[in-house]
Amino acid sequence: MSTGRLTIDLDAVVANWRALDGMTNCKTAAVVKADAYGIGAQNVSKALFKAGARKFFVAVAEEAVPLREALGPGPEISVFSGHMRGDTDLIRELNLTPMLNSVEQMTQHFETLPGHPFGVQIDTGMNRLGMEPQEWGALAELILSQGPKLVMSHLACADEPDHPMNPHQLDVFKQLTDGINVPRSLAATGGILLGPEYHFDLTRPGIGLYGGMPFDQATPVIELELPVVQIRDVAEGEVVGYGNSWQAERPSRVATVSGGYADGITRYLSDKAKLYHGNIPCPLIGRVSMDLLTIDITDLPEDPERLTLIGPQQTLDALATKAGTIGYEILTQLGARYNRRTYGK
Ligand SMILES: *Cc1c(COP(=O)(O)O)cnc(C)c1O
């Protein structure tokens, strides 16, 4: 077996959902867009359903197909991107709840699926998705008369607790929605950590479920180990990999491991990441190529069979920082070639 082994701990996902749920006095949904951030939306949603989750969010209607198959007819599946032309059949057949983002989407929804469940997303300053406050002001009465399931907005800077954008968006959200008789939602993972005034009736964590920052108390969910394909001795002065980008300054032992940028191990990690043999760090040397990495194992007491890229010694977010990105991106780029071992509920 020469593909990397990606171990996914569903019990950790459940523990993270419960921990985030325990921080609030309201309901907790689960955001499972992008195949549950690469972790596997069907497995994740079934495990979270057993743990008590009843509301799930995806980014686009198509993502709800495997989800509805896994969850059956009961749980609510909501769609952040709302009701686009072309989504109507899926929304009806899978009984999805689109979060309407604009006047066009509202018209589309009310005309094609009158009486079908929906929610509304209002923009409170991020300027990404959602009705403008003026649109909401003009249409709120009409919309509320149609019985929305949820009114939501999204925070732009929730991963920075002291950012003035957080209280600003909270204030705008309250001004626009105080007094309405509909469940409200503002917080994703970062918003949950900001405190109770951000929680409203429903929270929408994603990354925290999967062990990523800003939820620093999260239980890690994945481990990624890469098998050693070949080991060689390299003399002082010899070079390794594409572009001759690494040169041995001492007689060295170099392991070639299976895994590369086609597996989501970005080229930005070239010469930066470490892989671990137990607690011993081994530098990734030279360039990351499509299928392979070269690792300096000179300081190991024995030849390893595999090396760990993501695990207790180098967390998801530590690796992301070395790559100049965030845990979200590392997770969602995890490749299709890995031998996935999903265990837990
Ligand atoms: C992705 C997303 C979430 C989940 O965010 P996390 O930071 O992963 O918890 C919640 N709400 C919206 C609108 C999103 O797009």
Side-chain angles (χ1 to χ4, degrees), residues 244-288:
N244 294 357
S245 66
W246 188 83
Q247 186 166 32
E249 289 172 358
R250 57 175 177 168
S252 300
R253 203 155 165 75
V254 172
T256 303
V257 307
S258 178
Y261 59 77
D263 304 293
I265 303 167
T266 168
R267 271 177 100 249
Y268 291 112
L269 287 169
S270 300
D271 281 317
K272 287 190 188 138
K274 295 194 166 41
L275 279 74
Y276 283 81
H277 179 61
N279 285 322
I280 310 173
C282 308
L284 193 170
I285 57 174
R287 295 227 180 117
V288 171

Side-chain angles (χ1 to χ4, degrees), residues 31 33 37 80 121 128 152 154 188-189 204-207 328:
V31 176
K33 61 192 180 186
Y37 294 35
F80 286 134
Q121 181 160 203
R128 189 181 67 167
M152 59 167 280
H154 193 51
T189 302
R204 314 182 308 268
I207 191 69
Y328 298 70

Side-chain angles (χ1 to χ4, degrees), residues 188-243:
T189 302
I192 294 173
L193 304 174
L194 292 179
E197 62 273 36
Y198 288 84
H199 297 164
F200 295 92
D201 302 298
L202 178 75
T203 63
R204 314 182 308 268
I207 191 69
L209 306 177
Y210 312 116
M213 290 291 282
F215 184 27
D216 58 9
Q217 305 295 310
T219 305
V221 169
I222 63 163
E223 215 167 293
L224 180 57
E225 299 164 290
L226 305 177
V228 175
V229 180
Q230 194 180 3
I231 295 179
R232 77 183 68 245
D233 290 312
V234 172
E236 185 180 338
E238 279 195 285
V239 291
V240 171
Y242 280 124

Side-chain angles (χ1 to χ4, degrees), residues 66-125:
L67 201 59
R68 186 55 89 201
E69 188 189 303
L71 287 170
E76 190 173 278
I77 302 178
S78 300
V79 183
F80 286 134
S81 63
H83 190 154
M84 307 261 292
R85 212 171 306 151
D87 289 344
T88 307
D89 289 346
L90 271 180
I91 290 172
R92 183 184 52 236
E93 285 160 21
L94 300 180
N95 192 24
L96 309 181
T97 308
M99 298 292 119
L100 306 179
N101 288 297
S102 64
V103 179
E104 294 97 289
Q105 289 199 348
M106 189 194 79
T107 310
Q108 170 83 13
H109 189 76
F110 290 173
E111 282 180 356
T112 59
L113 297 175
H116 186 98
F118 71 97
V120 182
Q121 181 160 203
I122 312 174
D123 179 58
T124 51

